[in-house]
Amino acid sequence: MKKILVIGACGQIGSELTPALRKVYGTDNVVAADLMYPLKGELADSGPSCQINATNAQDIADAVKKYNIDSIFNLAAILSAKAEINPMLGWNVGIGALLNCLEVSRECGCALFTPSSIGAFGPETPHNMTPQDTIQRPKTIYGVTKVTGELLSDYYFKRFGVDTRSVRFPGLISNVTLPGGGTTDYAVEIYYAAVKGEKFTCPIAKGTYMDMMYMPDALKAAMDLMEADPSKLIHRNSFNITAMSFEPDMIYAEIKKRMPEFVMEYKFDALRQGIADSWPDCMDDHCAREEWGFKPIYDLSAMTEDMLKVLKVKLAK
Ligand code: VAH
């Protein structure tokens, strides 16, 4: 049975990926690690955990040896808008953590998953049906770390045989842990505002399309890719994947169908809008579908139905 280490287990992805992995591989076989320690709640109660500062290689090496780890999910990153405010932090966390994970994986024979993002593309990239292989000249430090991460991960696969794999996540929408500092965060915050009965102020302009995905599909994609037959993988770092593409008015309309009294207004956030404008409108993800069977199940309607249902219970407490 796999022995898995999740680095960044308290984050938006990690807080849901860890329980999902524990369900499949067994609670004792999935170690939840984060800088914030001790972990709280289900993450702490349902399996082993440890403190890891991902920019410290020794922390990672110690955990890999202590728990006999053979697969690492490296989720340590500073999201796009927050990284623009502190670029060196964005670089040091994104690349520092990845390089440490790559070196430990090389020395200890671990497989390694590190997310990339639609942020790995820039304004020169074709915005519609963005190809799997195309120009990548991102204009954010987040995007620079993601392209660098893709290149480093492919290098470690080709040069040292490290089993590195990655997906370019779109904006992820979840109802467990709020995202912190992303350009697509509005697509999560809008649901919270609707359920709280508050007017939502959207920082992204009407008509700004971005790829998005509901968290359950994202978790399945990460797990399926890591289980995929390596002989079928033509690509590795990193696969385009998407479930839907929408602009703010579309998600607003979908919520209003269910909550007619909900009101949204627009209030432009120049930083996030500039980043969003540089990203794809919608990606072509046929390589992921052909090489390892990626197939999302949630569209905007199904996601909205579930988000509102779960948040109404969660926020009523
Ligand atoms: C961000 N949610 O907005 C992240 C993600 C695709 C966007 O990388 O920075």
Side-chain angles (χ1 to χ4, degrees), residues 12 78-82 116-120 142 146 168-172 179-185 210-212 272 275 279:
Q12 185 198 18
I78 304 296
L79 294 181
S80 55
K82 190 172 174 186
S116 181
S117 159
I118 56 174
Y142 178 73
K146 290 306 182 185
R168 290 171 185 145
F169 277 134
L172 299 183
T183 301
T184 60
D185 293 2
M210 287 188 273
D211 282 301
M212 301 281 184
R272 281 177 169 78
I275 296 172
W279 288 356

Side-chain angles (χ1 to χ4, degrees), residues 9-57:
C10 295
Q12 185 198 18
I13 300 173
S15 60
E16 296 194 59
L17 180 62
T18 304
L21 288 166
R22 285 175 168 166
K23 210 164 155 188
V24 173
Y25 297 101
T27 50
D28 293 341
N29 296 318
V30 181
V31 180
D34 205 288
L35 184 59
M36 293 193 293
Y37 196 77
L39 306 189
K40 294 184 178 61
E42 186 199 1
L43 278 184
D45 302 340
S46 65
S49 61
C50 64
Q51 184 171 33
I52 283 182
N53 174 346
T55 60
N56 178 334

